[in-house]
Amino acid sequence: MASISARPPRSGYRLDGAPPRATSELMDALRRATTVEEANGRTALDPAAAAKPGSAERHQKGGIEGLIAKRVAAATEHALEGPNQTLMRAQRPVWDVLCKYYFRLETSGWERLPEEPSLLIGNHSGGSLTMDAWTFVAAWWRRFGTERVLHATAHDVLMAAPGLGDYFRQVGVIPASRQGVTAALSAGCDVVIWPGGDVDAMRSWRRRDEAVLAGRKGFVRTAIRSGVPIVPVATVGGHDTAFILSEGRWIANGLDRVSGLKKKLRGSRLPIVLGIPFGLTIETIPTHLPLPAKIRTELLDPIHVDHDPERVNDRDYVESIYREVESSIQGGMDRLAKQRRFPIFT
């Protein structure tokens, strides 16, 4: 089980103790995740130790569910090792070309980003290949390099996918679990979460400019526990990289009654996607090549949450922060969508 030496934290965060106003739950998670290397006295994070209680039992499951659990556990164990800087430098020319010419990426609002570690919350689109998320992470690395590390998060199915999941781990993507996100924030890193998950990424094309966070409010509680601001991130254009004709809920529900597929894949959508090279497909893992759509992304004004640990149990407060984040993202998407000159690809 690896111990990963974290980079020096910023803005008063430290690894030899909890972040300011941390809750006892976070303290327990950090105690499980933190070890001290006797040789040099450095504090290190062991993300595997912070895994959810009972994760070992998940390894005993068979079939698809067992495979996913095993692969996600492996990704969690090495969550804070990335990004692999050698790989990041090697792939930079490719992403520079893709961002500049293929997706014609425009990213604004960097001046709004707080100096302290932050929890970024965004929308993402484009089926199982959410190129708006990929391009944002690439833009972040080009801007900050090793000075400010961003950990993106991904759905368990994508983290478990052979090849793709391994690539994600190498570029610093972590499973979208509270334990992994908390450990990364505590190490002084920034984290970006797309709470809508498959519900957001698999929404139909006619809803492409709608912010879908799916009512998932765990990110608010994570921000409160970790004592970090929330930075909303709005994006449009990703849903033009693949045309989702149907969200496929009826397909997922039908198969779920027969095989329990939704639980196994940890998702509720099996979208019908029109893309290249296969035309119409039912997509769970990527079956299309992204089309050359223009992607616009904007970092919005940060939202500072109350650090009182009791707030995590205040449903009204959590709901109010959730609605504020959702409204901010929707407002940003509305502004960005007005910049289109034609219905698609612009």
Side-chain angles (χ1 to χ4, degrees):
M1 190 174 293
S3 292
I4 299 94
S5 298
R7 72 182 179 87
R10 301 184 305 275
S11 304
Y13 276 65
R14 60 191 189 279
L15 298 181
D16 58 348
R21 296 173 292 276
T23 66
S24 59
E25 185 172 356
L26 175 57
M27 288 289 289
D28 290 340
L30 287 175
R31 277 194 289 270
R32 290 196 304 271
T34 304
T35 60
V36 176
E37 299 177 9
E38 295 181 0
N40 54 22
R42 290 184 304 166
T43 304
L45 285 177
D46 183 354
K52 289 182 180 179
S55 60
E57 288 83 349
R58 286 180 8 201
H59 291 193
Q60 305 303 317
K61 296 181 180 179
I64 294 176
E65 196 172 1
L67 177 62
I68 292 174
K70 183 177 180 180
R71 294 276 293 173
V72 170
T76 301
E77 181 175 352
H78 300 282
L80 298 186
E81 288 183 356
N84 181 324
Q85 296 300 327
T86 301
L87 174 61
M88 297 297 285
R89 287 190 293 269
Q91 69 176 4
R92 176 169 180 167
V94 176
W95 279 107
D96 284 348
V97 170
L98 288 174
C99 290
K100 184 174 182 179
Y101 298 107
Y102 197 80
F103 297 117
R104 292 158 288 149
L105 179 66
E106 292 180 4
T107 307
S108 59
W110 293 110
E111 71 281 357
R112 300 187 180 112
L113 186 66
E115 292 186 4
E116 62 188 303
S118 302
L119 182 60
L120 290 83
I121 302 298
N123 67 290
H124 65 346
S125 310
S128 56
L129 284 178
T130 52
M131 299 313 299
D132 45 10
W134 290 51
T135 54
F136 176 68
V137 173
W140 182 289
W141 190 84
R142 288 202 311 274
R143 186 176 184 88
F144 294 111
T146 59
E147 294 301 314
R148 186 163 185 169
V149 174
L150 175 71
H151 286 285
T153 55
H155 191 281
D156 283 359
V157 170
L158 297 180
M159 292 299 299
L164 182 62
D166 297 311
Y167 171 76
F168 276 177
R169 190 173 72 192
Q170 289 295 310
V171 297
V173 178
I174 61 177
S177 68
R178 190 180 79 189
Q179 289 73 22
V181 171
T182 296
L185 289 170
S186 299
C189 300
D190 299 274
V191 178
V192 57
I193 300 176
W194 296 276
D198 64 317
V199 179
D200 187 20
M202 307 297 187
R203 70 190 186 279
S204 66
W205 184 82
R206 66 179 179 276
R207 300 173 60 207
R208 64 193 183 280
D209 295 331
E210 179 181 334
V212 178
L213 303 188
R216 296 167 180 167
K217 306 177 181 69
F219 69 87
V220 178
R221 297 184 177 92
T222 295
I224 294 171
R225 292 187 182 102
S226 296
V228 298
I230 296 172
V231 178
V233 180
T235 300
V236 300
H239 239 42
D240 288 334
T241 64
F243 295 107
I244 298 178
L245 305 183
S246 170
E247 297 176 8
R249 282 177 287 185
W250 58 278
I251 301 175
N253 291 338
L255 290 175
D256 186 61
R257 284 193 289 269
V258 176
S259 63
L261 190 65
K262 285 164 55 170
K263 181 179 179 181
K264 292 176 181 178
L265 295 180
R266 303 177 191 176
S268 59
R269 304 290 191 272
L270 285 175
I272 300 174
V273 177
L274 176 62
I276 55 175
F278 301 115
L280 286 175
T281 60
I282 297 176
E283 187 166 281
T284 52
I285 60 174
T287 58
H288 70 276
L289 295 175
L291 297 171
K294 182 173 181 60
I295 296 176
R296 296 179 174 90
T297 300
E298 183 179 1
L299 286 79
L300 306 170
D301 290 328
I303 297 171
H304 296 274
V305 299
D306 192 333
H307 297 161
D308 181 353
E310 295 301 319
R311 284 295 201 180
V312 299
N313 300 316
D314 186 336
R315 293 184 179 181
D316 290 340
Y317 179 74
V318 171
E319 176 74 20
S320 69
I321 296 296
Y322 172 85
R323 293 299 177 193
E324 186 177 356
V325 173
E326 183 180 56
S327 176
S328 177
I329 294 174
Q330 185 62 68
M333 293 177 69
D334 292 343
R335 290 192 301 274
L336 294 174
K338 290 179 180 178
Q339 298 180 35
R340 288 196 188 102
R341 291 173 294 171
F342 298 100
I344 59 174
F345 303 143
T346 60

